[in-house]
Amino acid sequence: MNIRQITAADTLQLRRDVLYPNESWEAVMVENDRDGLHFGVYDQGQLVTVVSLFLGHDSAQFRKLATLPAAQGKGYGKAVLAHLAGVCQKEKIKLLWCNARDTAASFYEKLGYIKKGDYFMKGGIRYIKMELPLEQHTMTKKFEVIPAIDIIDGKCVRLTQGDYSQQKVYNEHPLEVAKEFEAIGVRRLHLVDLDGAKKGAVVNWKVLESIAGKTSLVTDFGGGIKTGKDLDIVFECGAALATIGSVAVKQPELFFSWVKQYGAEKIFLGADVKEEKIAVGGWLETTTLSVFDFLKSNIAAGVTNIFCTDIAKDGLLQGPSTALYKKIIERFPGINFVASGGVSNIDDVAVLQEIGCSGAIIGKAIYEGNISMEALKTFL
């Protein structure tokens, strides 16, 4: 999937075929098309979704969102709307809105849009105004620094390249580490149960319970989540998001059911990668599945929060896989994409922000002193 700016003329055929199949191209033109910004979503070279955006002083209206019938339900509309929100926020627009057909109102509500006013009729079609306050919009929030705490035997450790034989203990009390992060203004925490990842069941849930109960950090927790019962334990112990990787690879239908049951906002999909192929089982097993194919299927199922760890970079302090992350962001612009692995200094963090990442998970660079708490504050 690739989103790019197109011309008004490029939108006309999809507009007509999807929205007004019995009308002429001239009839589906908008009076101020020449003043609009027009965007198309392409999949494998085919234009599958179009939309037009009209910027005002404080608000912006989008019109004529249309997706090929065969491509509907695959996340293209959601992705392009997230892209529009990003465009608007860069222009300091505070409100994004549209006049939605009544049959599409529930779609917009799921994305955070709010009904405004009463239904009205136009051209024999029933519409309702839908608004999205961008100051509260979460899909393109401020770049977040997310410190990582990896747990083995209840202690804060770090592995090198996911190798359990290459571990170093940094602190025997993870809660102390979490409180240090909270004290400087950190809001997010990435907590990894390495024992659980190896065992295939959640092990260090007491660490999660302690951190969630004694700090205000928004914590995602992963490692060993294999069943619905594991998910319940994780959420009951205070996790804001459940980090899931292996199940999404090996049992996608089960994973998709969790996304639907708990909501995409509660799921943090982990794509562990080696040479652009997915790895699972605490990085102990590399598959033949391309990271791009993996992400495409999951985004189509509604997943929006994703992080990617390049095993070849993790724990080596040699810099992140910027080229890979940039390719992912360009191909899937509608997601909250967090980079993980390889960050060696504060300049790496700045680069990840610059290429469009929503955040960066940082571990060893903090614990080894390459990034100071003072340096972290510049991104908080």
Side-chain angles (χ1 to χ4, degrees):
M1 179 171 57
N2 179 35
I3 298 176
R4 60 177 182 259
Q5 196 165 339
I6 58 178
T7 67
D10 293 331
T11 70
L12 295 181
Q13 183 168 346
L14 256 183
R15 270 189 197 177
R16 194 273 312 273
D17 292 351
V18 175
L19 301 176
Y20 310 98
N22 298 319
E23 300 288 348
S24 66
W25 282 18
E26 291 75 16
V28 301
M29 291 179 180
V30 175
E31 60 275 7
N32 55 340
D33 259 342
R34 67 176 62 187
D35 300 321
L37 299 175
H38 309 277
F39 298 91
V41 182
Y42 290 82
D43 188 7
Q44 297 182 344
Q46 182 184 17
L47 182 62
V48 294
T49 297
V50 296
V51 69
S52 299
L53 179 67
F54 301 90
L55 301 176
H57 179 63
D58 289 318
S59 66
Q61 179 187 12
F62 67 88
R63 303 185 66 179
K64 311 302 183 187
L65 174 63
T67 298
L68 283 174
Q72 291 175 7
K74 297 183 178 180
Y76 300 123
K78 187 175 184 179
V80 79
L81 290 179
H83 186 78
L84 295 189
V87 170
C88 290
Q89 287 183 316
K90 288 179 182 177
E91 297 296 326
K92 309 300 182 184
I93 297 293
K94 296 179 180 179
L95 184 75
L96 180 62
W97 65 279
C98 73
N99 289 322
R101 296 186 181 200
D102 63 350
T103 53
S106 62
F107 166 75
Y108 291 110
E109 285 180 316
K110 289 177 182 177
L111 298 181
Y113 286 76
I114 303 165
K115 290 179 179 177
K116 193 74 173 180
D118 298 323
Y119 283 93
F120 61 92
M121 299 295 293
K122 182 179 179 181
I125 299 172
R126 193 165 180 250
Y127 291 91
I128 182 74
K129 187 176 184 180
M130 305 292 296
E131 296 184 346
L132 181 70
L134 294 176
E135 291 177 320
Q136 302 172 14
H137 187 45
T138 60
M139 294 180 74
T140 50
K141 269 193 172 180
K142 179 182 175 182
F143 180 86
E144 287 191 299
V145 165
I146 310 173
I149 297 180
D150 292 355
I151 308 297
I152 290 180
D153 295 330
K155 302 172 184 177
C156 175
V157 307
R158 292 300 293 173
L159 303 183
T160 298
Q161 293 184 284
D163 186 347
Y164 281 72
S165 67
Q166 299 185 62
Q167 64 176 269
K168 181 177 179 179
V169 177
Y170 286 97
N171 194 310
E172 295 194 0
H173 305 288
L175 177 59
E176 292 180 359
V177 180
K179 285 185 173 181
E180 289 177 12
F181 291 133
E182 183 181 37
I184 67 167
V186 167
R187 298 178 296 273
R188 282 283 308 273
L189 184 69
H190 180 64
L191 193 58
V192 184
D193 182 358
L194 290 173
D195 291 317
K198 196 169 186 179
K199 183 179 178 181
V202 174
V203 174
N204 288 292
W205 57 269
K206 287 187 177 180
V207 175
L208 167 63
E209 189 173 52
S210 174
I211 291 174
K214 297 178 181 178
T215 75
S216 60
L217 294 169
V218 176
T219 302
D220 64 79
F221 180 93
I225 299 175
K226 304 295 182 185
T227 67
K229 183 179 179 181
D230 291 325
L231 268 180
D232 290 338
I233 290 172
V234 167
F235 289 133
E236 286 169 7
C237 288
L241 299 95
T243 302
I244 300 170
S246 296
V247 170
V249 179
K250 296 184 174 182
Q251 298 174 275
E253 293 306 318
L254 175 61
F255 175 66
F256 297 158
S257 74
W258 291 347
V259 174
K260 185 175 182 180
Q261 179 181 352
Y262 294 94
E265 71 279 2
K266 300 284 287 183
I267 303 297
F268 198 22
L269 175 63
D272 296 331
V273 178
K274 187 173 184 179
E275 297 177 352
E276 297 193 358
K277 302 296 183 184
I278 294 293
V280 294
W283 301 345
L284 299 175
E285 176 188 346
T286 302
T287 72
T288 59
L289 178 61
S290 159
V291 62
F292 301 104
D293 291 339
F294 176 67
L295 294 181
K296 182 178 179 180
S297 62
N298 280 279
I299 291 167
V303 175
T304 56
N305 300 307
I306 297 169
F307 73 100
C308 180
T309 305
D310 189 339
I311 300 172
K313 296 279 190 176
D314 191 69
L316 294 181
L317 301 177
Q318 294 178 354
S321 294
T322 307
L324 172 62
Y325 301 152
K326 194 171 183 180
K327 282 166 64 176
I328 291 172
I329 293 166
E330 288 174 350
R331 194 169 300 190
F332 308 109
I335 62 174
N336 291 321
F337 180 81
V338 174
S340 173
V343 171
S344 61
N345 54 51
I346 204 67
D347 291 338
D348 288 338
V349 181
V351 169
L352 292 173
Q353 181 181 32
E354 185 177 332
I355 67 171
C357 293
S358 301
I361 294 171
I362 312 170
K364 197 169 186 177
I366 297 174
Y367 299 117
E368 291 290 337
N370 291 28
I371 297 178
S372 67
M373 291 296 195
E374 286 300 315
L376 277 185
K377 286 183 181 179
T378 63
F379 286 89
L380 300 176

